[in-house]
Amino acid sequence: MNYYSLNNPNHKVSFKEAVIAGIAPDRGLYYPEQIPTLSPEFIANLEQYSREEVAFQVMAPFVGESIPEAELRQIIEETLCFDFPCVAVHDSIFSLELYHGPTLAFKDVGARFMSRCLGYFNRNSEEKVTVLVATSGDTGGAVASGFLGVKGVNVVILYPSGKVSDIQERQLTTLGQNIHALEVDGVFDDCQDMVKTAFLDTDLKGSGLTSANSINVARWLPQMLYYFFAWQQLKKHHKEIIVSCPSGNFGNICAGLLAKKMGLPIAHFVAATNVNDTVPEFLQTGKYIPKPSKPTISNAMDVGNPSNFVRIQAMYDHSLEAILNDFSSYSYTDEQTRAVMQTLYSQTGYIAEPHGAVGYLGLQETLKNHPYAIGLFLETAHPVKFLEEVENTLSIELPLPEAIAQLLPLEKVKTRIATYAQLKSFLLNR
Ligand SMILES: *Cc1c(COP(=O)(O)O)cnc(C)c1O
């Protein structure tokens, strides 16, 4: 399988090259040259296969010859070290809980898969790769945990001082080993700008820099697996299935749409957003107008120019009509989000954090047109990751899971920086 740059169809690379580079030299996102289809027999009998076998069948065509079968199977086994349960919430509505991994957010799957791919590509090399990543919260923790101890890979995480939660900061700063946390005097955009500047800096050309955000195909593609695992669990109901994804950079839903193209018969997708409504507006007006992001209580989705939307447009040959056939998109305010968190809790006992609650709202809206379908919303983070918001909104106290309690006695180790020059000297002098 080759990947081409969405800015230039003639620039083609292997899976390995796409993973190592992260983004094409012309700044285009990499996109698979063909979308493989799975055999109808395989899909019809999906529930009879182990998760690992399903994952191998789905991922193998995308990885191609870059990783041999035995190693790919090993990577998959290490990636899928936790459960993905579909939990019944009420009537025919289910929550697909993607937060049972080590850092309690769905980004664990992509981060674990990518880290192990890089570890494999780098197995015989003397040179170290440095993964440089800016985080507004969940990405940093998932990348730190996923890459911890991976041979030949150093990780440098930039996060905005005072803008991530205490738990999120602990997930970045307490691991040690090959993980380095840089606390930046500034906001997320400053961190992101520093990372971009580093990638373009010719003085750093030889230092093996790569990125681990969701534009990397090794983080994006394994997200397809959630939808296959959900299908394995829900097929027995013999109803059509509608899936709602709380969306920010649109990587997760784009992976779901790819799973559908491969043959997974999900009837319809919903991209639910907070007030950062660039995509819902596009689906209504046909005009894609990026905006500065607005802060909300579902902050992992505060994105005004979703980076993966170009992949969705490519998947549908830029036809708005074709996109509308497969997916809808709606936007919700913080007030609506809090209100539905309260209703869900009081009527069913289910505790949703703000991202999952936005997903639930989008699902409710869409099920009006599909009264006989099963509805599935993705719960993308553990409620404890948004502790204050959930406790205040629902007037409850959440017990701390073991994975978080373990972090509390550990010392936060970080380097404080304020300028790009400081980042550069950090990268050059290690
Ligand atoms: C990253 C994230 C999202 C958004 O996912 P995208 O793939 O960027 O659309 C939603 N919820 C949580 C909790 C996240 O961390």
Side-chain angles (χ1 to χ4, degrees), residues 5-34:
S5 163
L6 286 176
N7 286 350
N8 174 8
N10 296 319
H11 172 80
K12 289 179 194 170
V13 297
S14 67
F15 177 76
K16 175 178 175 176
E17 292 166 305
V19 173
I20 291 174
I23 191 163
D26 59 14
R27 314 300 293 161
L29 268 62
Y30 283 118
Y31 190 78
E33 208 171 16
Q34 315 101 30

PDB file of all heavy atoms in Angstrom, residues 5-34:
ATOM      1  N   SER A   5       0.359  12.317  -0.906  1.00  0.00           N
ATOM      2  CA  SER A   5       0.096  13.584  -0.218  1.00  0.00           C
ATOM      3  C   SER A   5      -1.184  14.191  -0.782  1.00  0.00           C
ATOM      4  O   SER A   5      -1.353  14.269  -2.004  1.00  0.00           O
ATOM      5  CB  SER A   5       1.264  14.552  -0.459  1.00  0.00           C
ATOM      6  OG  SER A   5       0.836  15.874  -0.148  1.00  0.00           O
ATOM      7  N   LEU A   6      -2.072  14.616   0.083  1.00  0.00           N
ATOM      8  CA  LEU A   6      -3.316  15.224  -0.416  1.00  0.00           C
ATOM      9  C   LEU A   6      -3.048  16.557  -1.118  1.00  0.00           C
ATOM     10  O   LEU A   6      -3.947  17.111  -1.741  1.00  0.00           O
ATOM     11  CB  LEU A   6      -4.332  15.397   0.722  1.00  0.00           C
ATOM     12  CG  LEU A   6      -5.011  14.096   1.187  1.00  0.00           C
ATOM     13  CD1 LEU A   6      -5.936  14.340   2.379  1.00  0.00           C
ATOM     14  CD2 LEU A   6      -5.800  13.439   0.053  1.00  0.00           C
ATOM     15  N   ASN A   7      -1.804  17.052  -1.029  1.00  0.00           N
ATOM     16  CA  ASN A   7      -1.456  18.248  -1.797  1.00  0.00           C
ATOM     17  C   ASN A   7      -0.841  17.913  -3.153  1.00  0.00           C
ATOM     18  O   ASN A   7      -0.649  18.800  -3.982  1.00  0.00           O
ATOM     19  CB  ASN A   7      -0.465  19.124  -1.024  1.00  0.00           C
ATOM     20  CG  ASN A   7      -1.138  19.858   0.126  1.00  0.00           C
ATOM     21  OD1 ASN A   7      -2.363  19.852   0.226  1.00  0.00           O
ATOM     22  ND2 ASN A   7      -0.351  20.488   0.972  1.00  0.00           N
ATOM     23  N   ASN A   8      -0.489  16.643  -3.354  1.00  0.00           N
ATOM     24  CA  ASN A   8       0.184  16.275  -4.596  1.00  0.00           C
ATOM     25  C   ASN A   8       0.087  14.772  -4.821  1.00  0.00           C
ATOM     26  O   ASN A   8       0.830  14.001  -4.223  1.00  0.00           O
ATOM     27  CB  ASN A   8       1.661  16.696  -4.527  1.00  0.00           C
ATOM     28  CG  ASN A   8       2.452  16.202  -5.728  1.00  0.00           C
ATOM     29  OD1 ASN A   8       1.879  15.670  -6.692  1.00  0.00           O
ATOM     30  ND2 ASN A   8       3.757  16.350  -5.665  1.00  0.00           N
ATOM     31  N   PRO A   9      -0.846  14.335  -5.702  1.00  0.00           N
ATOM     32  CA  PRO A   9      -1.069  12.897  -5.898  1.00  0.00           C
ATOM     33  C   PRO A   9       0.170  12.157  -6.413  1.00  0.00           C
ATOM     34  O   PRO A   9       0.227  10.934  -6.333  1.00  0.00           O
ATOM     35  CB  PRO A   9      -2.205  12.841  -6.922  1.00  0.00           C
ATOM     36  CG  PRO A   9      -2.389  14.218  -7.429  1.00  0.00           C
ATOM     37  CD  PRO A   9      -1.738  15.179  -6.486  1.00  0.00           C
ATOM     38  N   ASN A  10       1.140  12.885  -6.936  1.00  0.00           N
ATOM     39  CA  ASN A  10       2.327  12.202  -7.471  1.00  0.00           C
ATOM     40  C   ASN A  10       3.379  11.915  -6.421  1.00  0.00           C
ATOM     41  O   ASN A  10       4.328  11.186  -6.676  1.00  0.00           O
ATOM     42  CB  ASN A  10       2.953  13.022  -8.603  1.00  0.00           C
ATOM     43  CG  ASN A  10       1.984  13.123  -9.753  1.00  0.00           C
ATOM     44  OD1 ASN A  10       1.317  12.153 -10.095  1.00  0.00           O
ATOM     45  ND2 ASN A  10       1.872  14.324 -10.325  1.00  0.00           N
ATOM     46  N   HIS A  11       3.222  12.501  -5.234  1.00  0.00           N
ATOM     47  CA  HIS A  11       4.185  12.224  -4.157  1.00  0.00           C
ATOM     48  C   HIS A  11       3.682  11.006  -3.381  1.00  0.00           C
ATOM     49  O   HIS A  11       2.715  11.089  -2.644  1.00  0.00           O
ATOM     50  CB  HIS A  11       4.321  13.449  -3.247  1.00  0.00           C
ATOM     51  CG  HIS A  11       5.139  13.167  -2.020  1.00  0.00           C
ATOM     52  ND1 HIS A  11       6.506  13.155  -2.035  1.00  0.00           N
ATOM     53  CD2 HIS A  11       4.777  12.848  -0.745  1.00  0.00           C
ATOM     54  CE1 HIS A  11       6.959  12.857  -0.823  1.00  0.00           C
ATOM     55  NE2 HIS A  11       5.923  12.674  -0.020  1.00  0.00           N
ATOM     56  N   LYS A  12       4.343   9.846  -3.601  1.00  0.00           N
ATOM     57  CA  LYS A  12       3.876   8.607  -2.968  1.00  0.00           C
ATOM     58  C   LYS A  12       4.950   7.997  -2.094  1.00  0.00           C
ATOM     59  O   LYS A  12       6.125   8.005  -2.452  1.00  0.00           O
ATOM     60  CB  LYS A  12       3.501   7.589  -4.051  1.00  0.00           C
ATOM     61  CG  LYS A  12       2.238   7.965  -4.771  1.00  0.00           C
ATOM     62  CD  LYS A  12       1.906   6.966  -5.847  1.00  0.00           C
ATOM     63  CE  LYS A  12       0.846   7.563  -6.765  1.00  0.00           C
ATOM     64  NZ  LYS A  12       0.629   6.765  -7.959  1.00  0.00           N
ATOM     65  N   VAL A  13       4.518   7.449  -0.961  1.00  0.00           N
ATOM     66  CA  VAL A  13       5.465   6.815  -0.039  1.00  0.00           C
ATOM     67  C   VAL A  13       4.842   5.538   0.544  1.00  0.00           C
ATOM     68  O   VAL A  13       3.638   5.318   0.435  1.00  0.00           O
ATOM     69  CB  VAL A  13       5.836   7.763   1.138  1.00  0.00           C
ATOM     70  CG1 VAL A  13       6.551   9.012   0.658  1.00  0.00           C
ATOM     71  CG2 VAL A  13       4.600   8.134   1.960  1.00  0.00           C
ATOM     72  N   SER A  14       5.694   4.706   1.148  1.00  0.00           N
ATOM     73  CA  SER A  14       5.216   3.493   1.813  1.00  0.00           C
ATOM     74  C   SER A  14       4.621   3.855   3.179  1.00  0.00           C
ATOM     75  O   SER A  14       4.771   4.985   3.656  1.00  0.00           O
ATOM     76  CB  SER A  14       6.379   2.526   2.019  1.00  0.00           C
ATOM     77  OG  SER A  14       7.283   3.097   2.955  1.00  0.00           O
ATOM     78  N   PHE A  15       3.993   2.852   3.821  1.00  0.00           N
ATOM     79  CA  PHE A  15       3.483   3.058   5.186  1.00  0.00           C
ATOM     80  C   PHE A  15       4.625   3.508   6.095  1.00  0.00           C
ATOM     81  O   PHE A  15       4.495   4.476   6.847  1.00  0.00           O
ATOM     82  CB  PHE A  15       2.874   1.744   5.697  1.00  0.00           C
ATOM     83  CG  PHE A  15       2.373   1.812   7.123  1.00  0.00           C
ATOM     84  CD1 PHE A  15       1.184   2.454   7.435  1.00  0.00           C
ATOM     85  CD2 PHE A  15       3.101   1.212   8.154  1.00  0.00           C
ATOM     86  CE1 PHE A  15       0.722   2.511   8.752  1.00  0.00           C
ATOM     87  CE2 PHE A  15       2.642   1.254   9.471  1.00  0.00           C
ATOM     88  CZ  PHE A  15       1.452   1.908   9.770  1.00  0.00           C
ATOM     89  N   LYS A  16       5.761   2.812   6.001  1.00  0.00           N
ATOM     90  CA  LYS A  16       6.901   3.142   6.855  1.00  0.00           C
ATOM     91  C   LYS A  16       7.318   4.609   6.682  1.00  0.00           C
ATOM     92  O   LYS A  16       7.481   5.340   7.663  1.00  0.00           O
ATOM     93  CB  LYS A  16       8.076   2.217   6.520  1.00  0.00           C
ATOM     94  CG  LYS A  16       9.347   2.556   7.263  1.00  0.00           C
ATOM     95  CD  LYS A  16      10.470   1.580   6.927  1.00  0.00           C
ATOM     96  CE  LYS A  16      11.759   2.048   7.601  1.00  0.00           C
ATOM     97  NZ  LYS A  16      12.861   1.097   7.394  1.00  0.00           N
ATOM     98  N   GLU A  17       7.456   5.036   5.429  1.00  0.00           N
ATOM     99  CA  GLU A  17       7.880   6.424   5.187  1.00  0.00           C
ATOM    100  C   GLU A  17       6.836   7.423   5.693  1.00  0.00           C
ATOM    101  O   GLU A  17       7.178   8.467   6.246  1.00  0.00           O
ATOM    102  CB  GLU A  17       8.135   6.644   3.689  1.00  0.00           C
ATOM    103  CG  GLU A  17       9.349   5.888   3.188  1.00  0.00           C
ATOM    104  CD  GLU A  17       9.397   5.826   1.658  1.00  0.00           C
ATOM    105  OE1 GLU A  17       8.413   5.354   1.037  1.00  0.00           O
ATOM    106  OE2 GLU A  17      10.413   6.244   1.099  1.00  0.00           O
ATOM    107  N   ALA A  18       5.556   7.072   5.515  1.00  0.00           N
ATOM    108  CA  ALA A  18       4.494   7.985   5.969  1.00  0.00           C
ATOM    109  C   ALA A  18       4.507   8.114   7.489  1.00  0.00           C
ATOM    110  O   ALA A  18       4.305   9.201   8.028  1.00  0.00           O
ATOM    111  CB  ALA A  18       3.127   7.488   5.487  1.00  0.00           C
ATOM    112  N   VAL A  19       4.762   7.005   8.178  1.00  0.00           N
ATOM    113  CA  VAL A  19       4.768   7.040   9.651  1.00  0.00           C
ATOM    114  C   VAL A  19       5.960   7.855  10.153  1.00  0.00           C
ATOM    115  O   VAL A  19       5.830   8.672  11.064  1.00  0.00           O
ATOM    116  CB  VAL A  19       4.814   5.607  10.230  1.00  0.00           C
ATOM    117  CG1 VAL A  19       5.000   5.649  11.747  1.00  0.00           C
ATOM    118  CG2 VAL A  19       3.548   4.859   9.871  1.00  0.00           C
ATOM    119  N   ILE A  20       7.124   7.627   9.525  1.00  0.00           N
ATOM    120  CA  ILE A  20       8.322   8.322  10.002  1.00  0.00           C
ATOM    121  C   ILE A  20       8.230   9.820   9.714  1.00  0.00           C
ATOM    122  O   ILE A  20       8.580  10.646  10.551  1.00  0.00           O
ATOM    123  CB  ILE A  20       9.587   7.685   9.393  1.00  0.00           C
ATOM    124  CG1 ILE A  20       9.760   6.282   9.994  1.00  0.00           C
ATOM    125  CG2 ILE A  20      10.825   8.543   9.659  1.00  0.00           C
ATOM    126  CD1 ILE A  20      10.878   5.473   9.407  1.00  0.00           C
ATOM    127  N   ALA A  21       7.696  10.171   8.540  1.00  0.00           N
ATOM    128  CA  ALA A  21       7.626  11.596   8.195  1.00  0.00           C
ATOM    129  C   ALA A  21       6.459  12.291   8.904  1.00  0.00           C
ATOM    130  O   ALA A  21       6.539  13.477   9.215  1.00  0.00           O
ATOM    131  CB  ALA A  21       7.488  11.759   6.689  1.00  0.00           C
ATOM    132  N   GLY A  22       5.378  11.583   9.157  1.00  0.00           N
ATOM    133  CA  GLY A  22       4.202  12.192   9.804  1.00  0.00           C
ATOM    134  C   GLY A  22       3.359  12.959   8.806  1.00  0.00           C
ATOM    135  O   GLY A  22       2.177  12.714   8.644  1.00  0.00           O
ATOM    136  N   ILE A  23       4.010  13.906   8.119  1.00  0.00           N
ATOM    137  CA  ILE A  23       3.296  14.747   7.152  1.00  0.00           C
ATOM    138  C   ILE A  23       4.195  14.869   5.926  1.00  0.00           C
ATOM    139  O   ILE A  23       5.415  14.779   6.050  1.00  0.00           O
ATOM    140  CB  ILE A  23       2.965  16.105   7.805  1.00  0.00           C
ATOM    141  CG1 ILE A  23       1.999  16.925   6.974  1.00  0.00           C
ATOM    142  CG2 ILE A  23       4.207  16.912   8.118  1.00  0.00           C
ATOM    143  CD1 ILE A  23       1.345  18.050   7.768  1.00  0.00           C
ATOM    144  N   ALA A  24       3.587  15.036   4.734  1.00  0.00           N
ATOM    145  CA  ALA A  24       4.403  15.114   3.512  1.00  0.00           C
ATOM    146  C   ALA A  24       5.219  16.408   3.512  1.00  0.00           C
ATOM    147  O   ALA A  24       4.852  17.380   4.165  1.00  0.00           O
ATOM    148  CB  ALA A  24       3.496  15.050   2.285  1.00  0.00           C
ATOM    149  N   PRO A  25       6.345  16.420   2.760  1.00  0.00           N
ATOM    150  CA  PRO A  25       7.177  17.627   2.728  1.00  0.00           C
ATOM    151  C   PRO A  25       6.411  18.866   2.244  1.00  0.00           C
ATOM    152  O   PRO A  25       6.739  19.984   2.623  1.00  0.00           O
ATOM    153  CB  PRO A  25       8.289  17.273   1.729  1.00  0.00           C
ATOM    154  CG  PRO A  25       8.259  15.796   1.590  1.00  0.00           C
ATOM    155  CD  PRO A  25       6.896  15.323   1.967  1.00  0.00           C
ATOM    156  N   ASP A  26       5.346  18.650   1.440  1.00  0.00           N
ATOM    157  CA  ASP A  26       4.550  19.795   0.965  1.00  0.00           C
ATOM    158  C   ASP A  26       3.447  20.146   1.964  1.00  0.00           C
ATOM    159  O   ASP A  26       2.503  20.864   1.619  1.00  0.00           O
ATOM    160  CB  ASP A  26       3.954  19.487  -0.418  1.00  0.00           C
ATOM    161  CG  ASP A  26       3.070  18.254  -0.411  1.00  0.00           C
ATOM    162  OD1 ASP A  26       2.692  17.783   0.697  1.00  0.00           O
ATOM    163  OD2 ASP A  26       2.745  17.736  -1.499  1.00  0.00           O
ATOM    164  N   ARG A  27       3.525  19.606   3.202  1.00  0.00           N
ATOM    165  CA  ARG A  27       2.580  19.845   4.287  1.00  0.00           C
ATOM    166  C   ARG A  27       1.235  19.158   4.066  1.00  0.00           C
ATOM    167  O   ARG A  27       0.283  19.381   4.811  1.00  0.00           O
ATOM    168  CB  ARG A  27       2.328  21.351   4.565  1.00  0.00           C
ATOM    169  CG  ARG A  27       3.537  22.240   4.637  1.00  0.00           C
ATOM    170  CD  ARG A  27       4.519  21.873   5.696  1.00  0.00           C
ATOM    171  NE  ARG A  27       4.043  22.044   7.064  1.00  0.00           N
ATOM    172  CZ  ARG A  27       4.602  21.438   8.121  1.00  0.00           C
ATOM    173  NH1 ARG A  27       5.607  20.600   7.949  1.00  0.00           N
ATOM    174  NH2 ARG A  27       4.143  21.637   9.323  1.00  0.00           N
ATOM    175  N   GLY A  28       1.114  18.316   3.021  1.00  0.00           N
ATOM    176  CA  GLY A  28      -0.135  17.579   2.792  1.00  0.00           C
ATOM    177  C   GLY A  28      -0.240  16.403   3.749  1.00  0.00           C
ATOM    178  O   GLY A  28       0.759  15.858   4.207  1.00  0.00           O
ATOM    179  N   LEU A  29      -1.489  15.999   4.054  1.00  0.00           N
ATOM    180  CA  LEU A  29      -1.693  14.790   4.849  1.00  0.00           C
ATOM    181  C   LEU A  29      -1.543  13.578   3.940  1.00  0.00           C
ATOM    182  O   LEU A  29      -1.927  13.620   2.772  1.00  0.00           O
ATOM    183  CB  LEU A  29      -3.101  14.789   5.470  1.00  0.00           C
ATOM    184  CG  LEU A  29      -3.217  15.390   6.869  1.00  0.00           C
ATOM    185  CD1 LEU A  29      -2.831  16.854   6.848  1.00  0.00           C
ATOM    186  CD2 LEU A  29      -4.616  15.219   7.429  1.00  0.00           C
ATOM    187  N   TYR A  30      -1.010  12.493   4.489  1.00  0.00           N
ATOM    188  CA  TYR A  30      -0.928  11.256   3.716  1.00  0.00           C
ATOM    189  C   TYR A  30      -2.275  10.554   3.694  1.00  0.00           C
ATOM    190  O   TYR A  30      -3.014  10.556   4.677  1.00  0.00           O
ATOM    191  CB  TYR A  30       0.138  10.336   4.304  1.00  0.00           C
ATOM    192  CG  TYR A  30       1.540  10.771   3.945  1.00  0.00           C
ATOM    193  CD1 TYR A  30       2.452  11.147   4.919  1.00  0.00           C
ATOM    194  CD2 TYR A  30       1.930  10.820   2.603  1.00  0.00           C
ATOM    195  CE1 TYR A  30       3.736  11.551   4.575  1.00  0.00           C
ATOM    196  CE2 TYR A  30       3.205  11.230   2.249  1.00  0.00           C
ATOM    197  CZ  TYR A  30       4.108  11.590   3.236  1.00  0.00           C
ATOM    198  OH  TYR A  30       5.361  11.990   2.894  1.00  0.00           O
ATOM    199  N   TYR A  31      -2.577   9.952   2.533  1.00  0.00           N
ATOM    200  CA  TYR A  31      -3.866   9.284   2.342  1.00  0.00           C
ATOM    201  C   TYR A  31      -3.629   7.996   1.537  1.00  0.00           C
ATOM    202  O   TYR A  31      -2.836   7.995   0.594  1.00  0.00           O
ATOM    203  CB  TYR A  31      -4.818  10.225   1.582  1.00  0.00           C
ATOM    204  CG  TYR A  31      -6.236   9.728   1.559  1.00  0.00           C
ATOM    205  CD1 TYR A  31      -7.058   9.887   2.683  1.00  0.00           C
ATOM    206  CD2 TYR A  31      -6.748   9.063   0.453  1.00  0.00           C
ATOM    207  CE1 TYR A  31      -8.344   9.403   2.682  1.00  0.00           C
ATOM    208  CE2 TYR A  31      -8.041   8.574   0.452  1.00  0.00           C
ATOM    209  CZ  TYR A  31      -8.832   8.745   1.571  1.00  0.00           C
ATOM    210  OH  TYR A  31     -10.107   8.249   1.581  1.00  0.00           O
ATOM    211  N   PRO A  32      -4.305   6.882   1.914  1.00  0.00           N
ATOM    212  CA  PRO A  32      -4.036   5.609   1.212  1.00  0.00           C
ATOM    213  C   PRO A  32      -4.453   5.666  -0.253  1.00  0.00           C
ATOM    214  O   PRO A  32      -5.505   6.220  -0.586  1.00  0.00           O
ATOM    215  CB  PRO A  32      -4.875   4.586   1.981  1.00  0.00           C
ATOM    216  CG  PRO A  32      -5.843   5.363   2.803  1.00  0.00           C
ATOM    217  CD  PRO A  32      -5.260   6.722   3.022  1.00  0.00           C
ATOM    218  N   GLU A  33      -3.610   5.051  -1.099  1.00  0.00           N
ATOM    219  CA  GLU A  33      -3.847   5.108  -2.535  1.00  0.00           C
ATOM    220  C   GLU A  33      -5.121   4.373  -2.943  1.00  0.00           C
ATOM    221  O   GLU A  33      -5.828   4.792  -3.842  1.00  0.00           O
ATOM    222  CB  GLU A  33      -2.643   4.486  -3.244  1.00  0.00           C
ATOM    223  CG  GLU A  33      -2.420   5.028  -4.596  1.00  0.00           C
ATOM    224  CD  GLU A  33      -1.100   4.549  -5.164  1.00  0.00           C
ATOM    225  OE1 GLU A  33      -0.526   3.569  -4.632  1.00  0.00           O
ATOM    226  OE2 GLU A  33      -0.642   5.146  -6.132  1.00  0.00           O
ATOM    227  N   GLN A  34      -5.397   3.234  -2.291  1.00  0.00           N
ATOM    228  CA  GLN A  34      -6.699   2.582  -2.501  1.00  0.00           C
ATOM    229  C   GLN A  34      -7.265   2.268  -1.120  1.00  0.00           C
ATOM    230  O   GLN A  34      -6.513   2.113  -0.169  1.00  0.00           O
ATOM    231  CB  GLN A  34      -6.620   1.224  -3.227  1.00  0.00           C
ATOM    232  CG  GLN A  34      -5.736   1.130  -4.428  1.00  0.00           C
ATOM    233  CD  GLN A  34      -4.419   0.461  -4.070  1.00  0.00           C
ATOM    234  OE1 GLN A  34      -4.353  -0.370  -3.178  1.00  0.00           O
ATOM    235  NE2 GLN A  34      -3.360   0.843  -4.790  1.00  0.00           N
TER     236      GLN A  34
END
